[in-house]
Amino acid sequence: MIRKLVMALLLGIFTLFQTVAQEFNNQQLAKAKYYYSLEEALKETDKVYKLSLEGQDLKELPKDLKKLKNLYVLDLTNNPQLNIEEVIKTVKKFKNLVALNLSQNQLKQLPGGMGNLSNLRELYLSNNELTTLPEAIKELKGLEILHLSNNPALNWDKSFEMLSQLPNLLLLDLSFNKLTSLPASTGKLSKLKQLNLAGNQLKTLPSEMGQLKQLLSLNMQQNSLKATPSTVGQLKSLIILNLAGNPGIDFEQTVHILQKVPGLKSLDLSYCQLSLVPFAIGELKNLQSLELSENQISIIPSQIGDLTNLRKLILRQNRLDILPSSIGNLNNLRELNLVNNRLEVLPVSFEKLINLQQLLLVNNPIPVNTLFALKKKLPATVIQPEPESLIPAKEYTSIAEALKEPNKVRVLNLTNQNLEQLSELVTQLPKLEKLVLDENPGLDLRQSLDILKKLPTIQVLSIRNAKIKEIPETIGELGNLLQLYLNGNELTQLPASMSSLGKLQIIMLADNPIEEEQLIKIRSMLPNTLVF
């Protein structure tokens, strides 16, 4: 008896040790360094958990890859000459591998050997040419995250039948697949928590989707919805709903449906050509985020003041010339964006918004004295534009001139000065807010950004007509940037790090060879930014 108790105790300790070790591994993985070349990784093989070989024109996986015994994450994006069967044979030897990215590889099918990647939790297959999924994908019982964005030729009826047999699938990305309908088997994805259907042609959803009782987030941005599917009202766990980019959607009907979803906290109806906000908006009592940007709204009803849990209200780019005094009831509001409206006055009740952290009023004809008065009432709120900034600042046209009075320099214009590198001396301008680097086609942009990230005061950056073909990832480190002008360059896309620019209000991309699909992705990546 005692022996059995001791054995049970030891087994319990062993199980506990395994659990703690796994949690440690997960935490370690989240913080682990990403290596971007095999050469770099081979210098410290035991420390390599995450490796990206994206866009390296690989024809086969390097033989030295097998030296990375602790590899958990492997990114092979944009290597279309790889033999995918050989890739799978190689990576199945990595017993710790939990995430594999095979996006943008012109894949038409996947080998049956995929089923041997038994520890895989994340699989990225976006931007390929897949027509079918192998039966073996059903063997990936631990798979939690699957990205199939932009594979419009995929046979979705058969694919959903297989996907429904993945018992632990939590996130599924089916964006930009030209889907006009979803099969009934969608309802079998019983553990799904996030579903991305953005950029399709859906007009409704199957009733069976109401069975997704654990779904927390649904993205139906840029579809063909004229009304919110009644099925949405059955998703009782839903917290986040994105319906942006569905022009003509019935807002009043949407609110009626959403009253059946008491836990909804975030609603996005931007880019929907809305002209009216229904009185019933006040019934969505638990909303914490409401986005109605890029519409044609001229009046906000007083019932908006009933949304007392609201923390974020985005009304950018509408036709508002007045706001209801009830907006002062939103005592939990942290962010209010009113950029590009017609406001000349603000309700006195604004001074009651004592928890407001950010108030954006750019491009409204509000008098400077009104802004100064508001700043006194809400001293802890970051208000843009800052009242002081509306007083015209002197423009300096050389660094030498600027360094004569460095503490006064807010605007530095270095247009057409044949710059190849940005001088380190610019970091000696502690109040610099706006930097213009237009018409410097030889400028080393990577080096310039390395300099600018040392200047947290930079809010406006202009690099127009400079023959830029690519924006370095380090742009994401300019965290205080409000306006970015990149007109007249040779850009076809923007780096993913741009999503870190949470304060960015405006980005100008006119006269660049960027396709419409990329613009859609950029707007999705920068949901609070005006993209022109």
Side-chain angles (χ1 to χ4, degrees):
M1 182 68 176
I2 294 175
R3 184 179 178 184
K4 287 183 179 179
L5 286 173
V6 170
M7 290 297 292
L9 181 61
L10 288 173
L11 181 61
I13 292 171
F14 178 71
T15 303
L16 177 63
F17 174 79
Q18 278 190 314
T19 302
V20 171
Q22 183 62 42
E23 288 177 356
F24 173 76
N25 285 336
N26 289 339
Q27 292 172 6
Q28 186 181 40
L29 186 60
K31 297 177 182 177
K33 174 183 175 181
Y34 229 125
Y35 290 77
Y36 289 94
S37 77
L38 185 59
E39 182 181 5
E40 177 191 16
L42 290 173
K43 293 176 183 177
E44 40 189 2
T45 55
D46 291 341
K47 297 180 180 179
V48 181
Y49 297 94
K50 298 190 286 192
L51 175 65
S52 174
L53 299 176
E54 177 179 356
Q56 297 193 15
D57 292 324
L58 299 175
K59 294 181 176 63
E60 59 183 18
L61 290 184
K63 293 180 180 178
D64 284 342
L65 192 65
K66 63 184 179 182
K67 295 180 181 179
L68 307 179
K69 303 294 186 183
N70 295 322
L71 197 61
Y72 279 72
V73 178
L74 179 59
D75 186 352
L76 297 173
T77 300
N78 194 18
N79 286 285
Q81 297 185 66
L82 278 175
N83 182 320
I84 192 63
E85 288 197 30
E86 294 303 317
V87 168
I88 300 304
K89 287 179 183 178
T90 299
V91 299
K92 74 177 183 181
K93 298 174 185 176
F94 294 102
K95 301 303 181 184
N96 293 324
L97 194 71
V98 295
L100 178 62
N101 195 335
L102 297 172
S103 299
Q104 205 171 333
N105 277 307
Q106 299 177 14
L107 300 177
K108 291 181 170 58
Q109 58 184 8
L110 298 171
M114 287 290 299
N116 295 323
L117 306 180
S118 55
N119 291 321
L120 210 60
R121 296 204 301 266
E122 302 179 20
L123 179 58
Y124 300 82
L125 298 168
S126 297
N127 301 307
N128 280 297
E129 300 166 11
L130 295 172
T131 56
T132 59
L133 295 178
E135 287 281 337
I137 203 166
K138 296 186 293 187
E139 302 303 317
L140 303 180
K141 301 300 184 183
L143 198 65
E144 297 175 354
I145 295 174
L146 178 58
H147 286 259
L148 289 167
S149 176
N150 199 18
N151 282 282
L154 204 53
N155 183 322
W156 291 105
D157 284 325
K158 289 185 178 179
S159 297
F160 270 102
E161 284 296 335
M162 283 183 275
L163 296 180
S164 65
Q165 297 181 55
L166 296 174
N168 293 300
L169 197 60
L170 303 178
L171 184 154
L172 180 58
D173 182 359
L174 302 177
S175 57
F176 301 99
N177 276 305
K178 299 181 181 178
L179 293 169
T180 57
S181 64
L182 295 178
S185 55
T186 311
K188 296 179 181 179
L189 302 172
S190 58
K191 288 192 177 181
L192 206 61
K193 294 186 182 299
Q194 296 182 55
L195 179 57
N196 187 352
L197 298 170
N200 285 294
Q201 299 164 18
L202 297 168
K203 295 181 179 179
T204 188
L205 295 173
S207 59
E208 290 81 2
M209 265 191 65
Q211 300 168 22
L212 303 183
K213 301 302 183 185
Q214 297 188 44
L215 196 67
L216 301 176
S217 174
L218 177 59
N219 187 346
M220 295 198 70
Q221 180 181 2
Q222 290 157 342
N223 274 276
S224 302
L225 300 174
K226 296 301 179 186
T228 297
S230 59
T231 306
V232 173
Q234 301 174 43
L235 303 174
K236 302 303 183 183
S237 297
L238 199 64
I239 294 174
I240 300 170
L241 178 60
N242 189 340
L243 298 172
N246 285 283
I249 194 170
D250 188 331
F251 197 174
E252 189 164 5
Q253 179 266 357
T254 295
V255 171
H256 175 71
I257 293 291
L258 296 181
Q259 288 180 50
K260 302 173 185 176
V261 188
L264 192 69
K265 290 182 170 57
S266 176
L267 175 62
D268 191 343
L269 281 161
S270 304
Y271 298 94
C272 285
Q273 298 180 6
L274 303 174
S275 56
L276 295 172
V277 177
F279 296 156
I281 191 69
E283 298 300 319
L284 304 183
K285 303 291 187 184
N286 289 315
L287 270 189
Q288 294 182 9
S289 174
L290 177 59
E291 301 193 36
L292 299 172
S293 299
E294 300 279 347
N295 283 299
Q296 300 159 17
I297 300 167
S298 57
I299 296 176
I300 299 293
S302 61
Q303 286 81 358
I304 197 79
D306 295 336
L307 302 179
T308 53
N309 287 305
L310 211 59
R311 299 171 66 91
K312 177 180 179 181
L313 179 57
I314 310 296
L315 296 167
R316 186 190 72 227
Q317 192 77 17
N318 277 286
R319 299 176 181 178
L320 298 170
D321 52 24
I322 192 169
L323 293 172
S325 60
S326 63
I327 205 165
N329 297 339
L330 305 179
N331 55 0
N332 284 306
L333 203 61
R334 302 294 192 271
E335 179 183 349
L336 178 55
N337 188 330
L338 295 162
V339 170
N340 279 10
N341 277 284
R342 303 171 181 179
L343 298 166
E344 296 183 25
V345 296
L346 299 173
V348 175
S349 61
F350 256 50
E351 63 187 54
K352 294 163 62 178
L353 301 175
I354 57 174
N355 291 310
L356 196 62
Q357 296 173 358
Q358 185 180 63
L359 174 59
L360 303 181
L361 295 164
V362 175
N363 290 343
N364 282 280
I366 300 174
V368 176
N369 60 342
T370 299
L371 294 176
F372 272 110
L374 187 61
K375 187 64 180 173
K376 287 183 180 179
K377 297 287 186 181
L378 300 172
T381 304
V382 174
I383 299 176
Q384 295 291 343
E386 293 182 358
E388 297 83 357
S389 71
L390 298 177
I391 301 171
K394 177 182 176 182
E395 186 173 279
Y396 294 77
T397 56
S398 76
I399 293 179
E401 176 193 13
L403 289 174
K404 292 177 182 177
E405 40 188 1
N407 290 316
K408 295 183 179 180
V409 181
R410 286 168 49 197
V411 181
L412 179 60
N413 190 335
L414 302 177
T415 297
N416 195 19
Q417 296 193 15
N418 296 317
L419 296 177
E420 294 183 359
Q421 292 195 327
L422 183 62
S423 171
E424 183 85 33
L425 294 173
V426 77
T427 60
Q428 297 181 27
L429 307 175
K431 297 184 178 179
L432 186 63
E433 296 174 359
K434 179 178 179 179
L435 177 62
V436 182
L437 297 170
D438 298 347
E439 299 175 27
N440 286 288
L443 184 67
D444 183 340
L445 188 52
R446 188 175 298 277
Q447 179 270 346
S448 300
L449 293 178
D450 286 341
I451 298 292
L452 292 179
K453 67 185 182 184
K454 301 175 186 177
L455 269 174
T457 54
I458 288 290
Q459 297 179 3
V460 181
L461 178 61
S462 180
I463 321 174
R464 296 176 291 191
N465 302 313
K467 297 185 178 179
I468 300 170
K469 294 183 178 179
E470 183 179 358
I471 302 294
E473 289 280 348
T474 46
I475 188 75
E477 298 182 44
L478 305 186
N480 291 315
L481 206 60
L482 300 178
Q483 300 177 28
L484 178 59
Y485 298 87
L486 297 170
N487 319 45
N489 285 295
E490 299 171 13
L491 298 169
T492 57
Q493 60 184 2
L494 295 180
S497 64
M498 290 282 292
S499 61
S500 301
L501 301 180
K503 297 181 180 180
L504 194 65
Q505 299 167 4
I506 298 172
I507 179 169
M508 299 292 289
L509 296 169
D511 301 317
N512 279 281
I514 300 178
E515 295 183 358
E516 183 61 27
E517 186 174 312
Q518 277 298 321
L519 283 174
I520 290 172
K521 291 181 179 179
I522 290 168
R523 290 190 177 105
S524 179
M525 181 170 61
L526 298 167
N528 298 320
T529 304
L530 288 173
V531 181
F532 295 104

